[in-house]
Structure formats: structure tokens, C-alpha cells
Amino acid sequence: MRHGKYPFVIGFLLAPVTLYVVFVIAPYAQAFYMAATNWRGLSPGQFVGFENFERLFQDDVFWKALQHHGVLLLALPLLTIAIALFLAFMLNVGGGAKQGVMVGVRGSKFYRVVFFLPQVLAVAILGVLFQAVYRADESGLINGLLGSLGVEPLGFLINPNIALWSIIGVLVWQAVGFYVVLFSAGMASIPKDIYEAAMLDGASRVGLFFRVTIPLLWDTLQVAWVYLGIMAFDAFAIVWTLSVDQGGPDGSTTVLGAEIYRNAFVFSKYGYASAMGVALFFLTLTFAALSLRVSRRESVEM
């Protein structure tokens, strides 16, 4: 049995490893090569070395998109995690102790379903839905409500000062439901005895949240932060479907994904678009590694 272990393992892994190399590693390698050429999609491109990357660092649009990713990296994880943590806490232990058992608020099972619903909507549907919600006249849902209060309509998607924040609002609205479920699963694994002991010691709900829930949920929070950071780098779909002129107005909502698409399929600059893709790859990888490193801490024993 021992001598036949390695051939069995190799045979078992051969097919999935081959598929991974063909469909994941090979496209990455091809993208890295294309980033060093001036290929325009038709004739074979010439090898230009780091010329595309030198041009990239002198491109104002690239830096503007990078700045927008910086805003997304701060706002999206912070807002989503804060809202989802609060809702998950209320759904699991917010109702206090009843007959010696910690319970959530009344109707918590129904609220879980309601909060998760936005997660099942496709991005294209979200784009169409929030175009109606954000419409700049009183026919829009929000501006209709503001108009009934005597407030002038706001140009959520046409005002460069608030367009990106309007898109961030949509991303948060969509993501919160998933992280409510994720944090609820994490809280369900925390022994109820810990909450009950803390309440017997006089801890308030705020104390339970900050002194019990967050320390015991730290590993889940770490994973959520990394996932949301990657989501911030992958905001192409919602920007392309919801924003004015796919990244406007005046580039105020553009992201790297949108510029990659524009350079590749509008301007046929596949080599330059690949250089942007390589930059995005390393930015995402660096963010994930730094986040895991900075947020690492000793696990709390339960």
C-alpha cells in the first residue's frame, strides 16, 4: 500500500493540475508576454520590453483609476464590514437572553433572507435598477423622495463629486447580505456560554460586541477584508453598466478594469491593455499579502 501511494496521488492530481495549468497559468503567462509587445490584435506584435509599463506610469488616466481604487479599498470594506457586523450581531444575539439563551431580534430569520436578496442579483440587473434609483430628475426613486421634501434633485451619476460614492453605495448594498450570512455563521460557532457569562458580569450589548464578538470573530473579519479588497479591484462590471460613459462623467468613476477593456476592445491596444492587467494583478496580490500580514494576530481560544 505504501509503495502505491505516490502513483495513486499523482494519477488523482494529474487531470486537475493539467486543467489549472492550461486554463489559469497559461493565460497569465500569455498576458505577461503580451504586456511586453505592441500587439494590436491583427498582425503579430513586436517585442518592446518595458515600454508599455513606462508609458503606463506616465498615463494620467491610469493614476486617476488607481486613485479611485484607493477610495474603494478604504470605503467598501469599512462600510460593508461595519454594517454587516452590526446586522449579524442583532440577528444572532441582539435580542438578549431569553430563558437563559442568547437570541436574535424578533423576525431574525426573515431578515436574513431579505438582507441576502441583493446578493443573488446579476450586476447587469443592478446597473439597470440603480439607473432608475439614481435618475437625476424627480422620476428617480431617491430624487422623487427628495422632491416631496422640497429638496432639489441631485445628480448622483452625473455629478463628478458624488458619482463614485453613488457607485460605492451600490457595491455596499449588494455585498452586505453575503457578509451578514458569513458573520452570522462565525457568531454561531461562538459558544453561547461566553455571551451569557459576559452578561452576568454586567456587560452591555456594546460591550458584548466589542469585547466578545469582534475578538472571537477576527479570522472571519480578516477573510472578509481581503475578499472586499479584491472586490474593490474588480469593480469593472458595475462601473461599466451604471456610470455615465462607462467611467464618467469626465473619468470620475473609471477603474483599471474599465481602462483595460477600453484600450483592448475600443482602441485595439492589446499590449498596453495587458500591461494594465499585469499591474492590476500585482496590485491585487500585494494588497492581499499585506492585509493578511498586517491583520495577523494570535487566535483566541474558545
Side-chain angles (χ1 to χ4, degrees), residues 113-295:
V113 176
V114 172
F115 293 149
F116 191 76
L117 279 177
Q119 187 67 33
V120 303
L121 296 177
V123 175
I125 295 175
L126 283 178
V128 174
L129 175 65
F130 275 89
Q131 281 175 357
V133 172
Y134 283 149
R135 196 165 294 153
D137 53 35
E138 292 191 2
S139 64
L141 178 62
I142 297 179
N143 279 321
L145 294 173
L146 293 176
S148 65
L149 299 174
V151 180
E152 290 293 322
L154 298 175
F156 291 100
L157 297 176
I158 62 175
N159 185 339
N161 296 320
I162 61 173
L164 182 61
W165 290 101
S166 300
I167 290 176
I168 290 173
V170 178
L171 290 171
V172 171
W173 182 81
Q174 183 196 26
V176 160
F178 174 80
Y179 290 96
V180 168
V181 174
L182 180 66
F183 296 151
S184 294
M187 290 178 191
S189 67
I190 299 174
K192 300 297 183 182
D193 295 345
I194 297 178
Y195 285 113
E196 293 164 10
M199 291 194 71
L200 288 174
D201 288 339
S204 63
R205 292 187 186 182
V206 176
L208 288 175
F209 182 76
F210 286 103
R211 296 181 181 274
V212 178
T213 301
I214 290 182
L216 295 178
L217 208 62
W218 188 259
D219 290 343
T220 306
L221 292 173
Q222 184 186 52
V223 171
W225 185 274
V226 173
Y227 281 0
L228 285 164
I230 294 173
M231 181 179 174
F233 279 115
D234 187 29
F236 161 73
I238 192 65
V239 168
W240 198 259
T241 56
L242 181 59
S243 64
V244 176
D245 296 329
Q246 288 80 41
D250 195 25
S252 61
T253 60
T254 193
V255 291
L256 286 178
E259 295 308 318
I260 291 170
Y261 183 93
R262 205 185 321 273
N263 278 280
F265 300 109
V266 178
F267 304 134
S268 296
K269 299 177 181 178
Y270 291 94
Y272 187 58
S274 296
M276 279 192 176
V278 170
L280 180 59
F281 169 78
F282 283 110
L283 283 169
T284 306
L285 198 64
T286 302
F287 165 78
L290 286 176
S291 296
L292 291 173
R293 176 69 178 177
V294 172
S295 62

